[in-house]
Amino acid sequence: MATNAEIAGRFEEFADLLEADDVEYKPRAYRRAAENIQAHPVPIADRVEAGDEAVLEEIDGVGDAIASKIVEYVETGTIEELEELRAELPIDIADITRIEGVGPKTAGKLYRELGIETLDDLEEAAEAGEIQDVSGFGPKTEGNIRDNIAFAREVGGRHLLGEGRPLADDVLGFLEELEAVERAEVAGSIRRWRETIGDVDVLVGTEAGEDVVESFVGWNSVDAEIESGPEKASVRVGEIRVDLRVVVPEEFGSALQYFTGSKDHNVRLRNYAIDRGMKLNEYGAFDVSGVGDEASGQRVGERVAGETEAGMYESLGLPWIPPELREDRGEIAAAENGELPDLITREDVRGDLHTHTEWSDGTTSIEAMVEAAEARGYDYYAVADHAEGPGIVSGVGLSDTEILEQVEQIREIDAASEITVFAGIEANVDAEGEIGLADEVVDELDVIVASPHSGLSQDAETATERLLRAIEHPAVDVLGHPSGRLLNERSGLDFDATALGQAAAEHDTALEINANPRRLDLWGSAVQAALEKGAPIAVNTDAHQPATLEYMRWGVHTARRGWTEADDVINTWDLGTLQEFLH
């Protein structure tokens, strides 16, 4: 059964190929539809297959033509028009456009001029010096392409957390309904909430492993069975591989700890255990202090834990360590010393300080976004549409005059709302670190989020200085998506997160964790480095429609990966404290 993310991916590909073919306007419509399809709160394919095509009328940007293509894809697994476009432009568009600076139009031109279809073709042409001879290119562009080939290959086999986790939730929902399943949980990188995953790992505790495996491979959402056996199976759901492993209930906790990882965490924990006369593995925790060196095997010694994951840590005198922290960044020492953080939860969040409306590139009105924020129980909410500036498509960013007009409307909506509505803007951090807002505009705004949108190939030193200048600007409240990265698409800026954290702490500027699953920027290790210097953090969705306010889920778990507590995050603070910070 096709997931929303998979269906959205087909229309993203449509848009890319049409843009590569120099078609105007239509690509933007397809991208808007794709975003709304992915954000839709219910599985579209399930409803369509059940004969409820009316669900498509609920999706903004999905008209009759796109709706018919969605139905065609759900029913047949293909879209004839897309297949024709692929035949006309046989480009591995997703792979090639992962190269920084190579968009669909560039990919189309390189195909027409040099016949480049794949990353291998692109690398060969770059190494041969052929790209710089194409009109509009040059040695610098060719060098950039050559330098970014490795990145494109590295991310090619990974899926966004925002694609994989909803599927994992569906898998768990299915398994938990099986009578033979006593316990079920996801494992691997998806349980640690890494920003990208290779596949979905699921663990089940049961006394009837073969029955569970049989039911799993027969699940109606499975598109293909890869392999299966009495204790494990692998299937493909859409484009994502799902691996199931079954264990007896008394070994569920030890298996969950083992298969959650990370590898580095597990190695350090096993060594910690060895120093205390213990042995840890997927079958349990064993006291081997009285066992001779000649003994071997996985279940040697007295088994003292394994039924629960918490018991595995308790057997070593440690508290349970949240999965997000298990990356070998000091979590075991912190557990030993009673210094594990009290991690932020979604319930701690009181508002969202970076969102968009139809005034810039959002899809809905200010009123609709505020109503959605109220429905989430927020105390406050900020509209932060794009200002004009480098990296912003012409016509999307607001001029100074338009910003002041929007502020007036926000004030009226705020007066009529039960929550506080802040007038904000997302300003653009240019290559030198300036934000380009007039003083009279700054004076009228409540929240200024400053974000880089262009010049994202700067070296680390230059990028750090650029971002530091933005942080130090007296009008800037939040440094938005600091690297400007798009996961699996572009790597964005490299910078010194410790230096940014130090400056943020000194200038009362929050560093944003942008919760959009295509960004998750900042990321765990960078957040941790910034927090160690006392930096305030903001977790914002960058939502462009009401449904994507739900992105807060990804942002909170990314914050947890960075050891973030609620008090570290400015949008968990009460209104008065936040207003004092913003002013």
Side-chain angles (χ1 to χ4, degrees):
M1 183 71 65
T3 63
N4 289 0
E6 181 183 343
I7 296 170
R10 298 292 75 81
F11 288 95
E12 286 282 3
E13 184 183 1
F14 243 128
D16 285 347
L17 289 173
L18 288 168
E19 192 174 332
D21 204 27
D22 288 330
V23 175
E24 295 186 10
Y25 308 118
K26 205 171 181 180
R28 186 172 180 182
Y30 277 26
R31 292 193 202 286
R32 179 184 178 190
E35 181 178 5
N36 295 340
I37 288 166
Q38 178 150 352
H40 198 65
V42 301
I44 295 168
D46 286 353
R47 296 270 292 271
V48 171
E49 192 170 74
D52 182 14
E53 295 181 12
V55 65
L56 303 177
E57 299 173 5
E58 303 171 3
I59 308 172
D60 190 40
V62 174
D64 291 343
I66 291 178
S68 67
K69 290 178 174 65
I70 294 173
V71 173
E72 181 184 359
Y73 187 72
V74 171
E75 292 179 347
T76 69
T78 62
I79 303 173
E80 184 178 354
E81 188 178 332
L82 179 57
E83 294 301 324
E84 292 172 355
L85 198 52
R86 287 169 170 171
E88 181 184 338
L89 289 170
I91 308 170
D92 288 344
I93 195 78
D95 283 350
I96 289 177
T97 54
R98 288 190 183 102
I99 303 292
E100 179 73 27
V102 178
K105 284 186 178 294
T106 300
K109 186 170 187 178
L110 290 173
Y111 170 71
R112 289 186 290 271
E113 296 286 337
L114 299 175
I116 291 173
E117 299 179 7
T118 67
L119 270 180
D120 289 341
D121 294 342
L122 188 65
E123 183 175 35
E124 185 177 334
E127 294 293 345
E130 297 173 353
I131 293 174
Q132 62 182 289
D133 294 330
V134 176
S135 175
F137 293 79
K140 183 176 180 180
T141 300
E142 184 176 72
N144 180 67
I145 289 172
R146 191 166 49 242
D147 292 343
N148 281 279
I149 290 284
F151 168 79
R153 292 195 196 285
E154 178 184 347
V155 303
R158 299 191 67 80
H159 305 279
L160 301 186
L161 175 66
E163 299 168 348
R165 184 71 206 205
L167 172 58
D169 293 340
D170 290 344
V171 175
L172 285 179
F174 168 74
L175 291 170
E176 287 168 350
E177 291 295 317
L178 299 179
E179 186 176 349
V181 172
E182 296 188 25
R183 299 174 68 185
E185 182 57 274
V186 293
S189 57
I190 204 164
R191 187 168 180 241
R192 304 196 313 276
W193 298 83
R194 282 196 61 183
E195 57 263 45
T196 63
I197 63 161
D199 48 36
V200 172
D201 296 308
V202 188
L203 184 71
V204 162
T206 179
E207 297 286 3
E210 293 190 33
D211 292 343
V212 173
V213 168
E214 183 179 354
S215 296
F216 172 68
V217 298
W219 183 31
N220 62 8
S221 291
V222 169
D223 292 304
E225 178 184 334
I226 299 170
E227 60 181 347
S228 65
E231 297 178 345
K232 58 185 179 180
S234 298
V235 301
R236 182 176 59 80
V237 180
E239 298 175 349
I240 301 179
R241 175 177 172 134
V242 182
D243 294 330
L244 168 73
R245 183 177 294 266
V246 296
V247 299
V248 293
E250 57 266 28
E251 293 179 351
F252 182 85
S254 51
L256 183 60
Q257 192 285 318
Y258 180 86
F259 289 112
T260 293
S262 67
K263 179 181 177 180
D264 291 339
H265 172 83
N266 283 354
V267 167
R268 190 170 294 276
L269 190 66
R270 286 200 299 270
N271 289 335
Y272 186 90
I274 289 169
D275 291 343
R276 287 153 183 80
M278 298 286 291
K279 178 178 181 177
L280 300 187
N281 56 39
E282 63 189 277
Y283 305 106
F286 300 87
D287 184 346
V288 293
S289 57
V291 177
D293 294 339
E294 69 281 359
S296 61
Q298 296 292 333
R299 295 178 172 89
V300 173
E302 179 188 358
R303 187 173 186 270
V304 297
E307 186 172 352
T308 69
E309 188 179 55
M312 294 292 289
Y313 289 95
E314 289 168 3
S315 71
L316 302 176
L318 299 175
W320 178 78
I321 298 175
E324 297 97 328
L325 300 186
R326 300 180 199 174
E327 299 291 352
D328 192 27
R329 296 203 304 263
E331 67 275 10
I332 294 173
E336 182 181 25
N337 296 325
E339 297 174 350
L340 285 176
D342 181 11
L343 297 177
I344 184 175
T345 69
R346 276 203 289 176
E347 290 70 29
D348 294 320
V349 178
R350 299 191 183 195
D352 198 333
L353 302 177
H354 178 181
T355 67
H356 297 269
T357 74
E358 61 190 4
W359 279 68
S360 62
D361 59 345
T363 64
T364 49
S365 66
I366 298 173
E367 292 92 338
M369 294 299 287
V370 171
E371 287 173 7
E374 286 181 339
R376 295 181 68 83
Y378 285 158
D379 297 334
Y380 43 80
Y381 174 82
V383 175
D385 275 313
H386 288 286
E388 291 178 332
I392 301 302
V393 177
S394 177
V396 170
L398 305 183
S399 66
D400 287 351
T401 300
E402 290 170 326
I403 294 171
L404 293 175
E405 290 175 358
Q406 189 190 56
V407 169
E408 289 185 15
Q409 185 176 19
I410 292 172
R411 298 296 181 222
E412 293 175 3
I413 293 170
D414 173 50
S417 299
E418 294 185 4
I419 66 173
T420 298
V421 184
F422 292 122
I425 200 71
E426 184 179 11
N428 302 285
V429 179
D430 68 17
E432 285 72 45
E434 297 294 339
I435 64 169
L437 291 177
D439 290 344
E440 58 268 26
V441 172
V442 169
D443 291 342
E444 295 299 319
L445 293 167
D446 302 314
V447 182
I448 296 178
V449 179
S451 310
H453 293 100
S454 62
L456 302 179
S457 59
Q458 291 175 321
D459 63 79
E461 183 177 355
T462 303
T464 300
E465 290 300 319
R466 167 190 184 178
L467 296 176
L468 287 175
R469 189 168 185 179
I471 289 169
E472 293 164 1
H473 193 294
V476 172
D477 300 298
V478 180
L479 180 68
H481 52 72
S483 79
R485 75 179 185 179
L486 290 175
L487 291 165
N488 286 1
E489 296 179 46
R490 68 184 183 215
S491 55
L493 296 171
D494 189 14
F495 52 76
D496 183 341
T498 298
L500 264 57
Q502 181 75 48
E506 292 174 356
H507 294 272
D508 285 337
T509 302
L511 302 181
E512 180 182 75
I513 297 172
N514 188 292
N516 185 315
R518 295 178 64 199
R519 292 188 183 275
L520 298 183
D521 175 13
L522 292 171
W523 49 93
S525 59
V527 173
Q528 186 179 8
L531 283 177
E532 288 174 354
K533 292 299 181 180
I537 301 294
V539 182
N540 295 321
T541 62
D542 200 353
H544 284 61
Q545 58 179 293
T548 51
L549 290 172
E550 179 58 26
Y551 286 168
M552 189 61 71
R553 180 189 194 191
W554 318 121
V556 166
H557 281 285
T558 299
R560 289 168 65 91
R561 285 179 58 78
W563 297 51
T564 308
E565 298 187 340
D567 286 346
D568 299 322
V569 177
I570 65 171
N571 48 309
T572 68
W573 299 348
D574 64 70
L575 177 61
T577 304
L578 176 63
Q579 287 176 320
E580 184 178 346
F581 174 86
L582 295 176
H583 289 102

